[in-house]
Amino acid sequence: MYFVIMGCGRVGSTLALALEQRGEQVAVIDQDESAFRRLGPTFEGRRVTGVGFDRETLVRAGIRDAYAFAAVSSGDNSNILAARVARETFDVDHVVARIYDPARAEIYQRLGIPTVATVRWTADQVLRRLVPQGAVQLHTDPSGRVTLAEVPPHRSWIGSPLRVIERETGTRVAYLTRLGEAMLPAPDTVLQEGDLLQLLVQTDRLADVEAQLAATKPAD
């Protein structure tokens, strides 16, 4: 898969190198050509000097072929603008933006751009939003019968009350992570774009639940 990253600071360079180590193709955009030194001499991806929300710069970076786009520069406005251009102009499905101001993150979330606030920031959080990893087992009880797993749902489940997800999958929603912070949901909590969903599931049903949530939500 092909990834485009805007910003070659500590997070952007870490993310680019992590993706390349996974065998992915990567392009990194930064206005400051000297920033690419953080990638080191062995980095084989593209280095594109320019403004990350400029359409011509994005085209030079290969945005039309991108599976995912991450905006992780030092400016909130630049990040959200670039993320919106990637999503709305170039139809990139998997987009995430770094936001320094957590109070603004929810506003951007409503625009359909998953965000992560800097106070909770790690490159691993970005990877989990960009790269399809399937179910991630977080904990299994000593008997091995019950697992706490992070299971990525298909986009069609967004807007569903969590009680519907529980009913359809036979699982329990232990908690969810929204805007970088864990929360205990109420029965009427609705799944929003960018939420990370953590489920309690019988271990022998994990694969079935993963397949069920990866598919389009059944009609009501």
Side-chain angles (χ1 to χ4, degrees):
M1 292 183 289
Y2 188 71
F3 295 80
V4 177
I5 299 168
M6 182 188 104
C8 196
R10 283 179 296 178
V11 172
S13 58
T14 299
L15 181 60
L17 293 171
L19 285 166
E20 189 169 77
Q21 288 174 1
R22 293 170 62 98
E24 314 294 358
Q25 294 181 300
V26 186
V28 183
I29 302 170
D30 202 286
Q31 297 183 67
D32 182 3
E33 190 172 358
S34 67
F36 297 129
R37 289 181 295 184
R38 292 188 176 93
L39 296 170
T42 61
F43 180 70
E44 297 181 355
R46 293 192 200 180
R47 299 169 173 86
V48 180
T49 304
V51 177
F53 53 80
D54 177 74
R55 289 171 174 79
E56 292 184 6
T57 301
L58 287 167
V59 169
R60 284 194 289 119
I63 193 68
R64 290 195 173 101
D65 299 319
Y67 170 82
F69 175 79
V72 294
S73 76
S74 59
D76 282 9
N77 291 337
S78 296
N79 287 342
I80 201 64
L81 179 57
R84 292 193 67 182
V85 171
R87 169 70 61 82
E88 297 169 12
T89 301
F90 296 102
D91 297 321
V92 180
D93 286 334
H94 303 275
V95 174
V96 63
R98 179 186 195 178
I99 299 299
Y100 281 79
D101 181 359
R104 300 166 67 187
E106 186 172 357
I107 298 172
Y108 297 138
Q109 196 92 9
R110 291 171 184 166
L111 296 174
I113 305 295
T115 61
V116 180
T118 299
V119 287
R120 301 292 183 184
W121 188 265
T122 66
D124 180 62
Q125 285 181 299
V126 184
L127 279 170
R128 290 165 75 175
R129 286 163 170 77
L130 295 184
V131 182
Q133 299 184 56
V136 178
Q137 291 183 251
L138 304 175
H139 174 75
T140 301
D141 84 294
S143 73
R145 298 185 63 185
V146 177
T147 293
L148 174 65
E150 185 175 286
V151 185
H154 187 273
R155 289 177 59 86
S156 60
W157 292 89
I158 294 171
S160 300
L162 298 188
R163 64 175 180 275
V164 171
I165 295 175
E166 291 181 331
R167 184 187 70 218
E168 294 292 330
T169 61
T171 63
R172 294 286 180 87
V173 178
Y175 67 97
L176 60 82
T177 306
R178 177 172 295 169
L179 303 177
E181 296 199 3
M183 59 178 287
L184 292 175
D188 58 350
T189 299
V190 171
L191 186 70
Q192 296 183 9
E193 183 148 8
D195 286 352
L196 299 179
L197 191 62
Q198 288 82 21
L199 302 177
L200 288 169
V201 57
Q202 289 180 232
T203 304
D204 60 1
R205 293 197 60 246
L206 180 57
D208 292 338
V209 170
E210 180 183 359
Q212 188 176 1
L213 286 175
T216 303
K217 176 191 170 186
D220 294 331

